Amino acid sequence: MRRSTLFIPGNNPAMLQNADVFGADAVIFDLEDAVNITEKDNARNLIHYYLATHSNLPMEVVVRINGLDTTFYQKDLEAIVSDNIDTIMLPKARVEYLVKLDEILTRLEKERKLTKKIKVLPIVELAISVLEVNEVVKCPRVDGVLLGAEDLSSDMEVTRTKEGKEIQYARSAVAMACKAYQLDAIDTPFTDVNDPEGLCKDCGNAISYGMNAKAAIHPNQLDTINELFLPTEKLITWALRVEKATAEYAAKGIGVFSLDGKMIDKPVMERANKILVKARKFGAI
Amino acid sequence: MKTAQAGSVESNDCLVTVSEASANEIVISSIVDAFFHSQIENVIKSTLEELSINNVKVEIMDKGALDYTIKARLVTALERMGK
Protein backbone atom coordinates (compact mmCIF):
# COMPACT_ATOMS: atom_id res chain seq x y z
CA MET A 1 0.00 0.00 0.00
CA ARG A 2 1.48 3.29 -1.12
CA ARG A 3 0.47 6.94 -1.37
CA SER A 4 3.52 8.34 -3.12
CA THR A 5 6.42 7.19 -5.23
CA LEU A 6 9.34 9.48 -6.12
CA PHE A 7 11.47 9.18 -9.24
CA ILE A 8 15.19 9.75 -8.63
CA PRO A 9 17.54 9.95 -11.63
CA GLY A 10 19.87 6.97 -11.40
CA ASN A 11 23.00 8.87 -12.33
CA ASN A 12 22.64 11.76 -9.90
CA PRO A 13 24.70 11.25 -6.70
CA ALA A 14 23.34 14.42 -5.06
CA MET A 15 19.75 13.17 -5.31
CA LEU A 16 20.68 9.60 -4.42
CA GLN A 17 22.33 10.48 -1.15
CA ASN A 18 19.15 12.17 0.06
CA ALA A 19 16.73 9.56 -1.24
CA ASP A 20 15.73 8.42 2.22
CA VAL A 21 14.82 11.83 3.63
CA PHE A 22 12.21 13.06 1.17
CA GLY A 23 9.26 11.19 2.73
CA ALA A 24 8.15 9.11 -0.25
CA ASP A 25 6.53 5.75 0.46
CA ALA A 26 8.65 4.36 -2.37
CA VAL A 27 11.65 5.75 -4.23
CA ILE A 28 12.18 4.77 -7.84
CA PHE A 29 15.83 4.81 -8.90
CA ASP A 30 15.56 5.43 -12.59
CA LEU A 31 17.83 3.73 -15.10
CA GLU A 32 15.51 4.50 -18.02
CA ASP A 33 14.35 7.90 -19.25
CA ALA A 34 16.34 9.96 -16.75
CA VAL A 35 19.63 8.46 -17.89
CA ASN A 36 21.30 9.39 -21.16
CA ILE A 37 21.98 6.45 -23.46
CA THR A 38 25.77 6.99 -23.08
CA GLU A 39 25.56 6.89 -19.26
CA LYS A 40 23.61 3.68 -18.64
CA ASP A 41 26.73 1.89 -17.36
CA ASN A 42 27.55 4.78 -15.02
CA ALA A 43 24.04 4.81 -13.56
CA ARG A 44 23.93 1.03 -13.14
CA ASN A 45 27.18 1.01 -11.18
CA LEU A 46 26.16 4.01 -9.10
CA ILE A 47 22.86 2.41 -8.08
CA HIS A 48 24.60 -0.91 -7.47
CA TYR A 49 27.18 0.53 -5.06
CA TYR A 50 24.66 2.90 -3.46
CA LEU A 51 22.37 -0.02 -2.65
CA ALA A 52 25.29 -2.14 -1.46
CA THR A 53 25.93 0.45 1.25
CA HIS A 54 22.26 1.21 2.03
CA SER A 55 20.68 -2.11 2.88
CA ASN A 56 18.10 -0.83 5.36
CA LEU A 57 16.38 2.08 3.69
CA PRO A 58 13.18 3.15 5.45
CA MET A 59 11.03 3.06 2.31
CA GLU A 60 10.25 0.70 -0.54
CA VAL A 61 13.19 0.54 -2.97
CA VAL A 62 12.14 0.37 -6.61
CA VAL A 63 14.44 0.39 -9.63
CA ARG A 64 13.07 1.33 -13.04
CA ILE A 65 15.00 -0.74 -15.54
CA ASN A 66 15.10 -0.15 -19.26
CA GLY A 67 12.36 -1.80 -21.26
CA LEU A 68 12.52 -5.38 -22.43
CA ASP A 69 12.42 -4.01 -25.97
CA THR A 70 15.91 -2.49 -25.46
CA THR A 71 19.43 -3.91 -25.25
CA PHE A 72 19.97 -2.54 -21.72
CA TYR A 73 17.58 -4.45 -19.48
CA GLN A 74 19.70 -7.57 -18.96
CA LYS A 75 22.68 -5.59 -17.67
CA ASP A 76 20.31 -3.53 -15.52
CA LEU A 77 18.96 -6.64 -13.86
CA GLU A 78 22.41 -8.20 -13.45
CA ALA A 79 23.56 -5.04 -11.67
CA ILE A 80 20.66 -4.40 -9.34
CA VAL A 81 18.87 -7.61 -8.40
CA SER A 82 19.67 -8.26 -4.76
CA ASP A 83 18.03 -8.34 -1.34
CA ASN A 84 18.55 -4.57 -1.22
CA ILE A 85 15.71 -3.88 -3.63
CA ASP A 86 12.00 -4.58 -3.23
CA THR A 87 10.57 -3.95 -6.65
CA ILE A 88 11.40 -3.68 -10.34
CA MET A 89 9.50 -1.09 -12.35
CA LEU A 90 8.98 -2.22 -15.92
CA PRO A 91 8.41 0.46 -18.56
CA LYS A 92 6.24 -0.11 -21.63
CA ALA A 93 4.80 -3.18 -19.96
CA ARG A 94 3.22 -5.93 -22.01
CA VAL A 95 2.05 -9.31 -20.81
CA GLU A 96 4.79 -11.10 -22.78
CA TYR A 97 7.47 -8.88 -21.16
CA LEU A 98 6.10 -9.50 -17.68
CA VAL A 99 6.23 -13.25 -18.23
CA LYS A 100 9.84 -12.96 -19.46
CA LEU A 101 10.81 -10.70 -16.57
CA ASP A 102 9.38 -13.20 -14.10
CA GLU A 103 11.56 -15.95 -15.61
CA ILE A 104 14.70 -13.82 -15.36
CA LEU A 105 13.96 -12.74 -11.79
CA THR A 106 13.22 -16.31 -10.75
CA ARG A 107 16.61 -17.39 -12.12
CA LEU A 108 18.52 -14.51 -10.50
CA GLU A 109 16.78 -14.97 -7.14
CA LYS A 110 17.79 -18.63 -7.16
CA GLU A 111 21.37 -18.03 -8.31
CA ARG A 112 21.90 -15.23 -5.78
CA LYS A 113 20.01 -16.99 -2.99
CA LEU A 114 17.78 -14.03 -2.32
CA THR A 115 15.70 -14.13 0.83
CA LYS A 116 12.79 -12.28 -0.72
CA LYS A 117 10.68 -12.40 -3.85
CA ILE A 118 11.05 -9.23 -5.87
CA LYS A 119 7.82 -7.50 -6.85
CA VAL A 120 7.08 -5.85 -10.19
CA LEU A 121 5.39 -2.54 -10.95
CA PRO A 122 4.50 -2.37 -14.63
CA ILE A 123 4.03 1.00 -16.33
CA VAL A 124 1.03 1.15 -18.58
CA GLU A 125 2.10 3.76 -21.10
CA LEU A 126 1.20 2.34 -24.49
CA ALA A 127 -2.26 2.09 -26.05
CA ILE A 128 -1.77 -1.66 -26.36
CA SER A 129 -0.86 -1.87 -22.65
CA VAL A 130 -4.10 -0.12 -21.73
CA LEU A 131 -5.96 -2.74 -23.74
CA GLU A 132 -3.97 -5.48 -21.96
CA VAL A 133 -4.21 -4.05 -18.45
CA ASN A 134 -6.79 -6.62 -17.28
CA GLU A 135 -4.21 -9.31 -18.06
CA VAL A 136 -1.22 -7.29 -16.85
CA VAL A 137 -2.60 -7.23 -13.30
CA LYS A 138 -2.80 -11.04 -13.27
CA CYS A 139 0.87 -11.50 -14.17
CA PRO A 140 3.30 -12.95 -11.63
CA ARG A 141 4.80 -10.55 -9.07
CA VAL A 142 2.68 -7.58 -10.14
CA ASP A 143 2.03 -5.47 -7.07
CA GLY A 144 0.47 -2.39 -8.62
CA VAL A 145 0.38 -0.50 -11.89
CA LEU A 146 1.71 2.95 -12.74
CA LEU A 147 -0.11 4.87 -15.43
CA GLY A 148 2.43 6.65 -17.64
CA ALA A 149 0.48 9.42 -19.30
CA GLU A 150 3.32 11.16 -21.12
CA ASP A 151 4.30 8.18 -23.27
CA LEU A 152 0.67 7.16 -23.60
CA SER A 153 -0.26 10.59 -24.98
CA SER A 154 2.59 10.31 -27.42
CA ASP A 155 1.44 6.85 -28.48
CA MET A 156 -2.11 8.14 -28.85
CA GLU A 157 -0.92 11.22 -30.75
CA VAL A 158 -2.86 13.50 -28.42
CA THR A 159 -1.80 16.61 -26.53
CA ARG A 160 -1.12 16.09 -22.86
CA THR A 161 -3.04 18.64 -20.80
CA LYS A 162 -3.18 19.56 -17.13
CA GLU A 163 -6.91 18.81 -17.12
CA GLY A 164 -6.18 15.25 -18.24
CA LYS A 165 -9.31 14.59 -20.29
CA GLU A 166 -7.14 12.66 -22.73
CA ILE A 167 -6.30 10.07 -20.06
CA GLN A 168 -9.75 9.57 -18.54
CA TYR A 169 -10.22 6.17 -20.14
CA ALA A 170 -6.73 4.98 -19.21
CA ARG A 171 -7.12 6.17 -15.62
CA SER A 172 -10.42 4.32 -15.32
CA ALA A 173 -9.02 1.18 -16.94
CA VAL A 174 -5.93 1.07 -14.70
CA ALA A 175 -7.89 1.85 -11.52
CA MET A 176 -10.58 -0.72 -12.29
CA ALA A 177 -8.09 -3.49 -13.09
CA CYS A 178 -6.01 -2.76 -9.98
CA LYS A 179 -8.97 -2.55 -7.64
CA ALA A 180 -10.28 -5.86 -8.98
CA TYR A 181 -7.07 -7.53 -7.80
CA GLN A 182 -6.38 -5.39 -4.69
CA LEU A 183 -3.31 -3.76 -6.24
CA ASP A 184 -2.07 -0.19 -6.04
CA ALA A 185 -3.30 2.01 -8.87
CA ILE A 186 -0.53 4.62 -9.12
CA ASP A 187 -1.33 7.76 -11.02
CA THR A 188 0.94 9.40 -13.57
CA PRO A 189 3.24 12.22 -12.39
CA PHE A 190 2.11 15.84 -12.64
CA THR A 191 4.96 17.30 -14.62
CA ASP A 192 4.77 21.01 -13.72
CA VAL A 193 6.74 21.12 -10.48
CA ASN A 194 6.01 24.82 -10.06
CA ASP A 195 2.21 24.52 -10.07
CA PRO A 196 1.09 23.32 -6.62
CA GLU A 197 -2.53 24.24 -7.31
CA GLY A 198 -2.49 22.20 -10.52
CA LEU A 199 -0.98 19.29 -8.59
CA CYS A 200 -3.83 19.42 -6.05
CA LYS A 201 -6.44 19.38 -8.83
CA ASP A 202 -4.68 16.54 -10.61
CA CYS A 203 -4.55 14.48 -7.39
CA GLY A 204 -8.27 15.12 -6.92
CA ASN A 205 -8.99 13.93 -10.45
CA ALA A 206 -6.92 10.79 -9.96
CA ILE A 207 -8.60 9.99 -6.65
CA SER A 208 -12.04 10.42 -8.22
CA TYR A 209 -11.17 7.68 -10.73
CA GLY A 210 -10.04 5.29 -8.00
CA MET A 211 -6.28 5.87 -8.12
CA ASN A 212 -4.83 5.33 -4.65
CA ALA A 213 -1.27 6.65 -5.08
CA LYS A 214 0.62 9.05 -7.30
CA ALA A 215 4.13 9.27 -8.69
CA ALA A 216 6.18 12.43 -8.06
CA ILE A 217 9.04 13.76 -10.15
CA HIS A 218 10.22 16.28 -7.54
CA PRO A 219 10.42 16.06 -3.75
CA ASN A 220 8.39 19.27 -3.44
CA GLN A 221 5.33 17.34 -4.69
CA LEU A 222 5.43 14.75 -1.93
CA ASP A 223 3.76 16.59 0.96
CA THR A 224 0.72 17.34 -1.20
CA ILE A 225 0.51 13.81 -2.57
CA ASN A 226 0.98 12.18 0.83
CA GLU A 227 -1.73 14.36 2.33
CA LEU A 228 -4.28 14.06 -0.46
CA PHE A 229 -3.89 10.32 -0.91
CA LEU A 230 -4.68 9.76 2.74
CA PRO A 231 -8.36 9.57 3.69
CA THR A 232 -9.65 12.95 4.92
CA GLU A 233 -10.21 13.58 8.63
CA LYS A 234 -13.96 13.60 7.98
CA LEU A 235 -13.80 10.19 6.31
CA ILE A 236 -11.62 8.76 9.07
CA THR A 237 -14.05 10.01 11.74
CA TRP A 238 -16.96 8.44 9.85
CA ALA A 239 -15.08 5.17 9.41
CA LEU A 240 -14.20 5.00 13.11
CA ARG A 241 -17.89 5.46 13.99
CA VAL A 242 -18.85 2.72 11.54
CA GLU A 243 -16.20 0.43 13.03
CA LYS A 244 -17.42 1.06 16.57
CA ALA A 245 -21.10 0.67 15.67
CA THR A 246 -20.37 -2.50 13.68
CA ALA A 247 -18.73 -4.09 16.72
CA GLU A 248 -21.61 -3.06 18.99
CA TYR A 249 -24.31 -4.39 16.65
CA ALA A 250 -22.32 -7.54 15.91
CA ALA A 251 -22.28 -8.31 19.65
CA LYS A 252 -26.07 -8.27 19.50
CA GLY A 253 -26.07 -10.50 16.42
CA ILE A 254 -27.11 -7.68 14.07
CA GLY A 255 -25.31 -7.44 10.72
CA VAL A 256 -27.13 -4.49 9.14
CA PHE A 257 -28.00 -1.29 10.97
CA SER A 258 -28.55 2.42 10.50
CA LEU A 259 -26.12 5.23 11.28
CA ASP A 260 -27.15 8.86 10.82
CA GLY A 261 -30.19 7.59 8.94
CA LYS A 262 -28.09 5.65 6.41
CA MET A 263 -27.94 1.90 6.03
CA ILE A 264 -24.66 0.31 7.03
CA ASP A 265 -24.21 -3.11 5.49
CA LYS A 266 -21.22 -5.27 4.48
CA PRO A 267 -19.97 -3.16 1.53
CA VAL A 268 -20.10 0.01 3.63
CA MET A 269 -18.29 -1.73 6.51
CA GLU A 270 -15.63 -2.90 4.07
CA ARG A 271 -15.21 0.63 2.72
CA ALA A 272 -14.84 1.96 6.26
CA ASN A 273 -12.30 -0.76 7.00
CA LYS A 274 -10.20 0.13 3.93
CA ILE A 275 -10.16 3.77 5.01
CA LEU A 276 -8.98 2.80 8.49
CA VAL A 277 -6.34 0.37 7.24
CA LYS A 278 -4.75 3.11 5.12
CA ALA A 279 -5.11 5.75 7.84
CA ARG A 280 -3.50 3.44 10.43
CA LYS A 281 -0.68 2.39 8.13
CA PHE A 282 0.36 5.98 7.55
CA GLY A 283 -0.17 7.13 11.13
CA ALA A 284 -3.24 9.31 10.54
CA ILE A 285 -4.91 7.73 13.59
CA MET B 1 47.59 4.94 -24.71
CA LYS B 2 44.24 3.61 -23.53
CA THR B 3 42.27 6.02 -21.40
CA ALA B 4 38.67 6.28 -20.17
CA GLN B 5 36.52 8.53 -18.01
CA ALA B 6 33.40 8.30 -15.87
CA GLY B 7 31.48 10.67 -13.64
CA SER B 8 31.16 14.42 -13.69
CA VAL B 9 32.30 17.57 -11.92
CA GLU B 10 28.83 18.24 -10.53
CA SER B 11 28.47 18.70 -6.79
CA ASN B 12 28.59 15.39 -4.84
CA ASP B 13 30.11 13.64 -7.86
CA CYS B 14 33.64 13.06 -9.12
CA LEU B 15 35.28 12.71 -12.50
CA VAL B 16 37.55 9.69 -12.71
CA THR B 17 40.08 9.30 -15.53
CA VAL B 18 42.01 6.07 -15.89
CA SER B 19 44.90 5.34 -18.21
CA GLU B 20 47.41 2.56 -18.73
CA ALA B 21 50.55 2.70 -16.59
CA SER B 22 53.37 0.40 -15.54
CA ALA B 23 52.14 0.42 -11.95
CA ASN B 24 49.20 1.83 -10.04
CA GLU B 25 49.34 5.58 -9.54
CA ILE B 26 46.71 7.77 -7.91
CA VAL B 27 46.34 11.54 -8.39
CA ILE B 28 43.71 13.22 -6.23
CA SER B 29 42.24 16.67 -6.60
CA SER B 30 39.38 17.30 -4.19
CA ILE B 31 37.42 20.19 -2.70
CA VAL B 32 37.63 18.33 0.60
CA ASP B 33 41.24 17.19 0.20
CA ALA B 34 42.34 18.55 3.56
CA PHE B 35 39.89 16.27 5.38
CA PHE B 36 39.33 13.30 3.12
CA HIS B 37 42.48 12.74 1.02
CA SER B 38 43.34 9.46 2.75
CA GLN B 39 39.78 8.18 2.62
CA ILE B 40 39.53 8.87 -1.12
CA GLU B 41 42.88 7.19 -1.68
CA ASN B 42 41.80 4.18 0.36
CA VAL B 43 38.60 3.74 -1.65
CA ILE B 44 40.56 3.80 -4.90
CA LYS B 45 43.30 1.47 -3.59
CA SER B 46 40.85 -1.06 -2.19
CA THR B 47 38.76 -1.05 -5.38
CA LEU B 48 41.85 -1.68 -7.54
CA GLU B 49 42.92 -4.42 -5.18
CA GLU B 50 39.45 -5.99 -5.25
CA LEU B 51 39.63 -6.06 -9.06
CA SER B 52 43.27 -7.26 -9.06
CA ILE B 53 44.38 -4.29 -11.14
CA ASN B 54 47.96 -3.12 -10.79
CA ASN B 55 48.76 -1.16 -13.92
CA VAL B 56 46.59 1.95 -14.11
CA LYS B 57 46.92 5.62 -13.38
CA VAL B 58 43.78 6.96 -11.66
CA GLU B 59 43.14 10.69 -11.68
CA ILE B 60 40.17 11.91 -9.69
CA MET B 61 38.60 15.36 -9.60
CA ASP B 62 36.36 15.12 -6.57
CA LYS B 63 33.47 17.46 -5.83
CA GLY B 64 32.46 15.94 -2.52
CA ALA B 65 31.54 12.45 -3.67
CA LEU B 66 30.74 9.79 -1.09
CA ASP B 67 32.68 6.52 -1.08
CA TYR B 68 30.13 4.52 -3.09
CA THR B 69 30.10 7.21 -5.80
CA ILE B 70 33.89 7.17 -6.08
CA LYS B 71 33.88 3.40 -6.30
CA ALA B 72 31.09 3.35 -8.91
CA ARG B 73 32.79 5.95 -11.09
CA LEU B 74 36.14 4.17 -10.86
CA VAL B 75 34.63 0.80 -11.76
CA THR B 76 32.79 2.33 -14.73
CA ALA B 77 35.93 4.06 -15.99
CA LEU B 78 37.87 0.78 -15.72
CA GLU B 79 35.11 -1.12 -17.53
CA ARG B 80 35.14 1.51 -20.27
CA MET B 81 38.88 1.04 -20.61
CA GLY B 82 38.31 -2.68 -21.02
CA LYS B 83 39.58 -3.74 -17.62
Side-chain angles (χ1 to χ4, degrees):
Chain A
M1 185 185 292
R2 313 164 178 94
R3 297 164 300 174
S4 58
T5 63
L6 173 66
F7 279 100
I8 293 191
N11 200 30
N12 186 328
M15 287 282 285
L16 269 189
Q17 68 190 49
N18 292 313
D20 55 340
V21 302
F22 293 131
D25 296 332
V27 288
I28 305 162
F29 299 115
D30 189 12
L31 295 175
E32 197 216 16
D33 287 349
V35 179
N36 189 286
I37 201 161
T38 60
E39 296 299 314
K40 299 289 186 189
D41 54 348
N42 235 338
R44 257 180 229 124
N45 282 330
L46 185 61
I47 298 292
H48 171 85
Y49 289 110
Y50 167 81
L51 291 173
T53 54
H54 294 76
S55 56
N56 285 311
L57 290 166
M59 66 283 174
E60 181 184 3
V61 174
V62 185
V63 179
R64 176 160 78 167
I65 60 169
N66 288 278
L68 266 65
D69 56 341
T70 71
T71 56
F72 303 117
Y73 75 91
Q74 281 168 314
K75 284 184 178 171
D76 293 346
L77 290 168
E78 290 291 334
I80 55 96
V81 169
S82 76
D83 273 330
N84 296 329
I85 68 166
D86 300 298
T87 308
I88 297 286
M89 179 169 273
L90 179 67
K92 298 191 171 55
R94 303 284 312 274
V95 169
E96 61 182 291
Y97 295 151
L98 285 160
V99 170
K100 191 172 173 185
L101 179 59
D102 175 54
E103 288 169 5
I104 299 169
L105 289 175
T106 301
R107 175 179 59 80
L108 288 172
E109 284 169 349
K110 196 175 169 189
E111 283 173 7
R112 298 176 182 190
K113 298 183 172 59
L114 264 58
T115 60
K116 65 164 82 159
K117 186 168 184 175
I118 291 172
K119 297 173 284 185
V120 171
L121 275 178
I123 312 180
V124 166
E125 53 186 340
L126 297 170
I128 189 72
S129 306
V130 177
L131 295 182
E132 285 186 356
V133 71
N134 293 345
E135 298 305 312
V136 162
V137 292
K138 293 186 220 165
C139 287
R141 301 171 186 269
V142 170
D143 186 55
V145 173
L146 171 66
L147 172 63
E150 302 307 316
D151 280 278
L152 180 61
S153 299
S154 170
D155 199 31
M156 292 291 293
E157 300 179 67
V158 295
T159 304
R160 181 81 178 98
T161 66
K162 285 189 178 178
E163 291 71 31
K165 281 184 183 168
E166 68 283 358
I167 58 165
Q168 283 178 347
Y169 175 74
R171 263 180 172 155
S172 290
V174 168
M176 191 73 73
C178 287
K179 291 296 160 68
Y181 289 87
Q182 289 86 48
L183 305 175
D184 276 347
I186 306 170
D187 196 49
T188 189
F190 184 72
T191 54
D192 186 346
V193 298
N194 296 313
D195 181 5
E197 198 179 317
L199 174 64
C200 285
K201 281 185 190 163
D202 197 45
C203 288
N205 278 339
I207 290 164
S208 74
Y209 282 95
M211 292 287 183
N212 59 282
K214 190 169 180 68
I217 53 165
H218 192 283
N220 73 5
Q221 298 180 318
L222 286 171
D223 283 350
T224 300
I225 292 173
N226 282 342
E227 185 187 332
L228 294 180
F229 279 85
L230 256 189
T232 61
E233 210 176 306
K234 193 176 164 189
L235 265 180
I236 294 170
T237 304
W238 169 81
L240 284 168
R241 290 182 62 220
V242 170
E243 184 183 57
K244 188 171 175 233
T246 300
E248 287 168 3
Y249 280 102
K252 297 175 197 165
I254 299 169
V256 181
F257 57 91
S258 173
L259 186 69
D260 301 333
K262 288 180 183 162
M263 183 178 79
I264 307 293
D265 59 0
K266 193 163 170 268
V268 180
M269 291 170 198
E270 284 173 356
R271 164 117 179 87
N273 186 52
K274 282 180 185 172
I275 290 167
L276 294 177
V277 167
K278 190 161 194 177
R280 285 182 175 124
K281 176 175 169 70
F282 294 110
I285 43 176
Chain B
M1 184 176 67
K2 267 188 175 177
T3 180
Q5 271 190 335
S8 75
V9 288
E10 298 290 319
S11 184
N12 302 109
D13 204 348
C14 61
L15 182 66
V16 174
T17 307
V18 292
S19 50
E20 284 180 331
S22 53
N24 286 346
E25 184 187 344
I26 299 168
V27 181
I28 298 169
S29 157
S30 171
I31 57 168
V32 289
D33 194 72
F35 304 103
F36 293 105
H37 183 98
S38 301
Q39 191 168 333
I40 295 167
E41 190 175 47
N42 285 341
V43 172
I44 295 170
K45 274 184 179 170
S46 63
T47 305
L48 294 176
E49 202 175 302
E50 209 174 284
L51 298 169
S52 306
I53 291 173
N54 48 26
N55 56 348
V56 292
K57 179 180 180 184
V58 178
E59 295 171 82
I60 178 169
M61 279 176 68
D62 171 50
K63 299 291 178 181
L66 297 179
D67 289 1
Y68 61 82
T69 302
I70 295 170
K71 185 167 186 175
R73 298 321 193 192
L74 175 57
V75 169
T76 306
L78 291 166
E79 286 171 352
R80 287 177 176 181
M81 198 171 74
K83 285 284 183 183

